[in-house]
Amino acid sequence: MKKIIVCMVLVSVLLSANVKNSCLSCHKGIEPIRDHQSKMMQKIFQLAAKAGAEGNDCVVCHGGSPQESEKAKAHSGTLDYFLKHKGPKNFYPAPGSPWINEHTCGMCHPKQVAAQWNNLMNTEGGKIHGALWGFGAKEGYKHTAGNFNGKNLHQRIGTEVYRKYMAKLAREEPQGFPEKMHEIPKAPTAEEIDKDPTLSVYTYLRQECLRCHTSGKGRKRRGDYRGIGCSSCHIPYSNAGLYEGNDPTIDKKEHGHSLVHEIQSSRKVKVQVHGTQYSGIPVETCTTCHNRGKRIGVSYQGLMETNYQATFDSEGNGQPKLHTKRYLHLQEDIHYSKGMLCQDCHTSQDHHGDGTFRGANLGAVEIECQDCHGTTDKYPWELPLGYSDEFKTKPKTGKARGTTKNLAAYLKQGAIPKDKGDGFLLSARGNPLVKAVRKGDKVVMHLASGKDITLTPLKGLKQEGKLSKEGLVAMDQIKAHTDRLECYTCHATWAPQCYGCHVKIDYSGGKQNPDYLAASHSHHNGVTGDVKNLKDFLVDGKVTETRSYLRWENPALAQNGEGRISPVIPGCQVILTVIGKDGKAKLQNHIFKLKGVEKGKGVNIPKEGVNSIVMSPVNPHTITKKGRSCESCHSSAKALGYGINGGKYFADQSKTTIVDLMTADQKVLPRQVDEQIPAVPNLKDDLSRFVDENGTQIQTVGDHWKLSQALGNETRSKLDRRGVCLSCHQEMPSEDLAVSLMVHTAKFAGVKIDNKMHHTIVHKTILLSAWVQVLAGLVLGGSLVYWLMRRRKRRR
């Protein structure tokens, strides 16, 4: 209400200003920020007209003095200036900036703008916590360190059901839902590092990790160009960051500009680029940031990074770097192949936040696969709220969640389908999914691209006989899979696995790299310091990173924070080297040991502590219709957490490797010898191995939530079916007379034992064995009863 009153006062002041438009005299040809027929643009026109600047809608967002013809004068003055009737005059070159967008975007979208400071994409609380953990778990399980100081809003955005659900979850997982956050300490000086080399984590964070938060514009590299604040998502930038619109004042060869001067948003917002019209927010906008860490953005597109330059273009040039990496094109996520954008699954709460802090992704994301697909037993609307979002190890039960046709006012500002069918589906946490409409026993997805997709939930597919035999067995026959596993545990075909994050922070060269967080704090009218000159923000130290090796095939399994079994990939496996200002190592290939921090149910925590290197539960965003094979989990040492091939490939990495002329007993002959592979003192196992066969957890598994851990001993024993072939073949083909006769009979009868026949034999053998044992039990039981009755009769 306060903002509305301010806006009304503002308009009345502007009315008396009698401003004459001159913006388009220079910017003639610039694209309209929105379609002139849209409600948003009509509202902007109204505000401009009331301000005495009819036809000059630019001032509503950018401010300025449109009555001036000189650039310097025109680019000064703003709505605040007219309101106050005094200087200093302001101009907003980046109206989406969080530092000033309460005066721009916030005039129409006050809730989203108010919530932005608590948004995980702005605080980066999970990323910061992960780094602090890798450097010795400086704050334990607390998630109170962020990019800025702040506290929760008084009331969450969302339905009453959602607010109650989240309040309960916050009470149960308080470490993941802090009420306040404090800004991380400043980057240390080289002198401070000499006293405490672990402070280097703040150099690491500020120079490397904190480029992507939405209060700054990040680094200027191919694929990383984007806007700031609301513009991070809602203004299109190409990989090259070059302007391709019709504003004559913008240099079309200068990197760092938006592709066109238009807003991208929902399906009702149309953007024109060179005659092509699109709606929604392209996936590549999201991958501008989501290409490190869990890499879910590029993985969704089927992109897996590689060290190699292949393939070559028509001039023989190697593959260009994108997000500073090169890629292989693997299998895309089926949702991506169907034309679904990130926003088609992820909700307004997922993106904008609800005004309260979250420690990590599981706290921020409110959707689950079952919200649209249901299970083989229940349609989505028949499931209880909280299903698959339990934060417990048992599936959620309760009354059906149903659907709704009622929407909060903030949701109505987006694209709402005219045909609401039988109502909108609800997320696991109780908010309406405005793109998902129930139509009988079907779900119609109204995608941001403008396309509509009709989805048959799993229960419907089962009734129509459209599920494969493998699918029925996995999801319907074996209830434990549905009760305990995430859907993507089977349906994610691959996951990026970057083993070993070797971090070197060198303080011997003085100030070399910029502090991106400090740059974002330095702002004037929404223009952050990093837009002006990053050299103004150089700090001591230089961060470089490398890794041990990359994989992508079937990831290992672990228990995530929701209590369900999920894929797990290397998170922040920090192996730290810190070089002091004297050029000597203060820490060399160091892995921190965490004593008395980690806990786990059904696993053993060693007395000396767990390595701080982290394996992170993840939804890889590489979903396919056909799931993983049974063998890829049940016959895999890696799936169990024992490492690739049981962790047997690597030698003891805690010992230095020297390669040179040696005697047969490996005595080195030369005296001038280099260490080929220096030791990592605390690394005695392969980086892919996080639990041993005795159930001892070797490294951290998830550092955010109480239930994150390696699979417990009981779960691993149920999962492990390695060596099952021996149960038959220790007798086959000749160690037992009956088996030998069967094998020879099959041979002389010309029976071909291929894979299909093998399955048939095993299947028949199980059925025969089961019936024989059941009948034998019945005969034995009947005989015993008969004998007891006869005996009793004789006594009479």
Side-chain angles (χ1 to χ4, degrees):
M1 179 61 72
K2 182 179 178 182
K3 286 187 179 293
I4 294 173
I5 294 172
V6 169
C7 191
M8 291 174 65
V9 173
L10 185 60
V11 168
S12 66
V13 173
L14 287 170
L15 271 167
S16 62
N18 192 27
V19 178
K20 182 181 178 182
N21 174 36
S22 65
C23 294
L24 296 184
S25 62
C26 290
H27 296 280
K28 186 177 181 180
I30 191 171
E31 304 76 38
I33 193 70
R34 279 290 304 274
D35 175 17
H36 284 188
Q37 304 306 313
S38 67
K39 289 182 180 179
M40 177 179 176
M41 201 65 190
Q42 291 299 312
K43 183 67 175 178
I44 291 174
F45 283 148
Q46 290 172 18
L47 286 172
K50 289 180 181 178
E54 187 171 358
N56 184 44
D57 47 287
C58 313
V59 297
V60 177
C61 295
H62 287 282
S65 300
Q67 77 277 17
E68 302 288 351
S69 58
E70 294 181 18
K71 179 179 178 181
K73 292 181 179 180
H75 287 189
S76 63
T78 189
L79 303 181
D80 285 344
Y81 167 71
F82 290 115
L83 179 62
K84 297 173 184 176
H85 284 283
K86 59 183 179 181
K89 295 182 179 182
N90 293 323
F91 167 65
Y92 299 149
S97 168
W99 305 101
I100 51 86
N101 61 13
E102 63 179 313
H103 306 303
T104 56
C105 310
M107 288 193 293
C108 295
H109 304 280
K111 289 192 174 183
Q112 285 74 24
V113 166
Q116 68 185 337
W117 293 103
N118 301 50
N119 183 318
L120 192 59
M121 289 190 284
N122 196 40
T123 69
E124 296 188 294
K127 187 189 299 183
I128 290 171
H129 183 270
L132 293 176
W133 188 277
F135 280 67
K138 283 185 169 292
E139 293 202 355
Y141 272 98
K142 293 180 180 178
H143 291 70
T144 55
N147 285 330
F148 311 100
N149 296 317
K151 60 182 179 180
N152 286 335
L153 297 181
H154 294 298
Q155 189 179 51
R156 298 175 192 272
I157 300 171
T159 64
E160 183 64 26
V161 171
Y162 171 80
R163 289 197 290 268
K164 288 181 179 178
Y165 182 97
M166 294 305 297
K168 181 181 178 182
L169 184 54
R171 289 193 297 270
E172 294 176 351
E173 297 273 355
Q175 82 292 343
F177 296 92
E179 294 184 358
K180 296 180 180 180
M181 274 192 170
H182 64 87
E183 183 187 338
I184 64 171
K186 294 181 180 179
T189 63
E191 289 72 24
E192 290 173 321
I193 289 299
D194 281 344
K195 297 177 182 178
D196 183 3
T198 68
L199 294 176
S200 58
V201 66
Y202 301 115
T203 304
Y204 180 53
L205 281 165
R206 287 173 171 270
Q207 287 190 7
E208 287 291 315
C209 307
L210 305 183
R211 293 190 293 254
C212 285
H213 69 91
T214 52
S215 291
K217 288 197 72 173
R219 62 182 176 185
K220 297 175 176 65
R221 294 289 189 275
R222 183 172 181 269
D224 295 340
Y225 292 104
R226 61 171 174 83
I228 180 175
C230 302
S231 303
S232 300
C233 301
H234 290 290
I235 299 296
Y237 280 73
S238 70
N239 284 339
L242 294 173
Y243 177 68
E244 297 184 18
N246 298 314
D247 187 337
T249 68
I250 301 177
D251 186 347
K252 291 182 171 59
K253 294 184 179 180
E254 183 180 65
H255 299 276
H257 295 288
S258 61
L259 181 63
V260 289
H261 176 260
E262 297 185 53
I263 285 177
Q264 57 187 20
S265 182
S266 65
R267 71 186 282 153
K268 68 181 181 181
V269 179
K270 309 300 181 184
V271 181
Q272 295 277 352
V273 181
H274 301 313
T276 298
Q277 187 180 85
Y278 76 90
S279 62
I281 298 174
V283 171
E284 187 57 31
T285 296
C286 304
T287 62
T288 299
C289 288
H290 292 282
N291 59 71
R292 275 179 63 114
K294 294 177 180 178
R295 296 160 170 82
I296 55 176
V298 284
S299 295
Y300 187 62
Q301 295 172 298
L303 299 178
M304 171 66 196
E305 65 196 72
T306 177
N307 289 326
Y308 308 110
Q309 294 191 42
T311 56
F312 300 111
D313 66 13
S314 60
E315 296 179 352
N317 299 310
Q319 182 187 148
K321 285 188 175 182
L322 176 66
H323 317 303
T324 70
K325 308 173 185 72
R326 296 183 177 91
Y327 292 95
L328 299 171
H329 195 175
L330 303 185
Q331 201 164 18
E332 302 165 351
D333 191 294
I334 190 172
H335 300 87
Y336 180 75
S337 300
K338 293 280 187 182
M340 294 183 68
L341 304 175
C342 302
Q343 70 193 101
D344 289 324
C345 284
H346 290 285
T347 67
S348 177
Q349 306 297 70
D350 288 5
H351 292 117
H352 301 112
D354 69 355
T356 60
F357 289 119
R358 277 106 160 94
N361 283 345
L362 281 187
V365 176
E366 65 170 320
I367 56 167
E368 298 291 342
C369 304
Q370 294 90 337
D371 293 354
C372 290
H373 293 280
T375 68
T376 56
D377 288 334
K378 292 185 177 181
Y379 287 106
W381 45 88
E382 294 176 333
L383 291 170
L385 288 173
Y387 188 84
S388 198
D389 190 56
E390 292 90 357
F391 285 83
K392 290 179 173 58
T393 55
K394 293 183 179 179
K396 182 74 173 179
T397 58
K399 66 178 183 179
R401 67 179 72 169
T403 60
T404 185
K405 291 188 177 181
N406 299 319
L407 297 178
Y410 79 93
L411 288 175
K412 293 178 182 178
Q413 289 181 303
I416 305 302
K418 293 181 180 179
D419 183 0
K420 297 180 182 178
D422 299 310
F424 298 107
L425 303 189
L426 295 173
S427 75
R429 295 178 178 178
N431 277 323
L433 300 174
V434 293
K435 294 182 179 67
V437 173
R438 178 186 174 186
K439 280 284 190 74
D441 289 338
K442 306 284 186 180
V443 174
V444 179
M445 296 295 299
H446 298 275
L447 307 183
S449 65
K451 187 161 95 174
D452 294 336
I453 294 178
T454 299
L455 162 73
T456 303
L458 289 169
K459 183 176 178 179
L461 291 174
K462 175 186 170 183
Q463 292 173 348
E464 294 172 12
K466 293 182 179 178
L467 289 177
S468 67
K469 184 185 293 184
E470 294 90 343
L472 277 171
V473 169
M475 293 183 286
D476 199 60
Q477 180 71 12
I478 305 175
K479 296 296 183 185
H481 286 167
T482 301
D483 290 345
R484 288 299 318 279
L485 271 63
E486 300 282 9
C487 299
Y488 50 82
T489 303
C490 289
H491 286 279
T493 52
W494 63 274
Q497 298 155 58
C498 180
Y499 288 100
C501 186
H502 297 266
V503 179
K504 182 180 75 171
I505 310 177
D506 189 347
Y507 293 88
S508 65
K511 300 181 186 297
Q512 299 178 69
N513 282 352
D515 179 339
Y516 282 92
L517 183 56
S520 71
H521 276 274
S522 178
H523 57 90
H524 177 67
N525 297 337
V527 181
T528 56
D530 58 346
V531 172
K532 295 177 182 177
N533 191 352
L534 279 173
K535 291 182 180 179
D536 295 338
F537 303 96
L538 296 179
V539 292
D540 285 350
K542 180 180 180 180
V543 177
T544 55
E545 293 177 301
T546 188
R547 78 259 300 196
S548 290
Y549 60 95
L550 288 169
R551 310 294 292 183
W552 62 74
E553 62 274 65
N554 294 328
L557 305 180
Q559 182 172 287
N560 67 15
E562 292 175 338
R564 287 183 172 253
I565 296 170
S566 88
V568 65
I569 64 174
C572 214
Q573 288 189 321
V574 175
I575 302 171
L576 178 63
T577 295
V578 179
I579 306 297
K581 63 180 181 179
D582 60 358
K584 303 295 183 182
K586 304 299 177 184
L587 293 173
Q588 182 185 357
N589 298 324
H590 185 72
I591 296 176
F592 292 90
K593 284 282 187 184
L594 306 180
K595 191 174 182 179
V597 178
E598 276 283 73
K599 298 178 181 179
K601 188 174 181 180
V603 293
N604 307 316
I605 305 298
K607 292 181 179 180
E608 67 273 17
V610 173
N611 281 343
S612 65
I613 54 178
V614 179
M615 294 291 290
S616 295
V618 65
N619 178 346
H621 289 65
T622 58
I623 307 302
T624 59
K625 186 176 180 179
K626 184 175 176 60
R628 289 175 67 162
S629 68
C630 305
E631 296 82 5
S632 72
C633 292
H634 290 281
S635 297
S636 168
K638 180 183 177 183
L640 291 161
Y642 300 149
I644 298 171
N645 195 33
K648 295 176 181 177
Y649 285 127
F650 279 78
D652 186 348
Q653 297 174 76
S654 65
K655 297 178 181 178
T656 296
T657 299
I658 294 176
V659 181
D660 213 317
L661 289 177
M662 298 181 184
T663 64
D665 57 359
Q666 297 186 4
K667 182 178 180 180
V668 180
L669 296 172
R671 291 186 177 179
Q672 299 182 50
V673 175
D674 294 322
E675 294 179 346
Q676 186 65 38
I677 307 175
V680 182
N682 283 338
L683 188 62
K684 296 184 181 294
D685 296 282
D686 182 356
L687 287 159
S688 66
R689 181 174 166 89
F690 52 90
V691 65
D692 67 19
E693 288 76 5
N694 296 318
T696 300
Q697 191 164 308
I698 298 167
Q699 56 179 290
T700 301
V701 179
D703 55 279
H704 303 296
W705 310 101
K706 293 178 181 178
L707 291 174
S708 294
Q709 64 168 73
L711 300 179
N713 297 335
E714 183 180 349
T715 302
R716 290 199 321 281
S717 68
K718 290 180 179 178
L719 173 63
D720 190 0
R721 294 296 180 266
R722 294 173 297 163
V724 72
C725 301
L726 288 175
S727 59
C728 292
H729 285 279
Q730 61 182 325
E731 306 293 343
M732 293 182 69
S734 59
E735 290 299 311
D736 179 85
L737 180 59
V739 172
S740 181
L741 285 172
M742 182 184 72
V743 171
H744 281 82
T745 301
K747 181 179 179 181
F748 285 112
V751 177
K752 185 179 179 181
I753 309 297
D754 56 11
N755 191 44
K756 184 177 180 181
M757 178 57 71
H758 187 273
H759 283 207
T760 302
I761 292 171
V762 173
H763 181 236
K764 289 180 177 179
T765 302
I766 289 173
L767 291 177
L768 180 62
S769 173
W771 277 111
V772 167
Q773 292 183 63
V774 167
L775 291 173
L778 290 173
V779 170
L780 182 61
S783 300
L784 181 60
V785 170
Y786 178 75
W787 179 78
L788 288 172
M789 291 177 66
R790 287 285 301 265
R791 186 177 180 186
R792 189 176 297 172
K793 191 173 183 180
R794 286 175 188 163
R795 287 180 177 177
R796 290 177 183 172

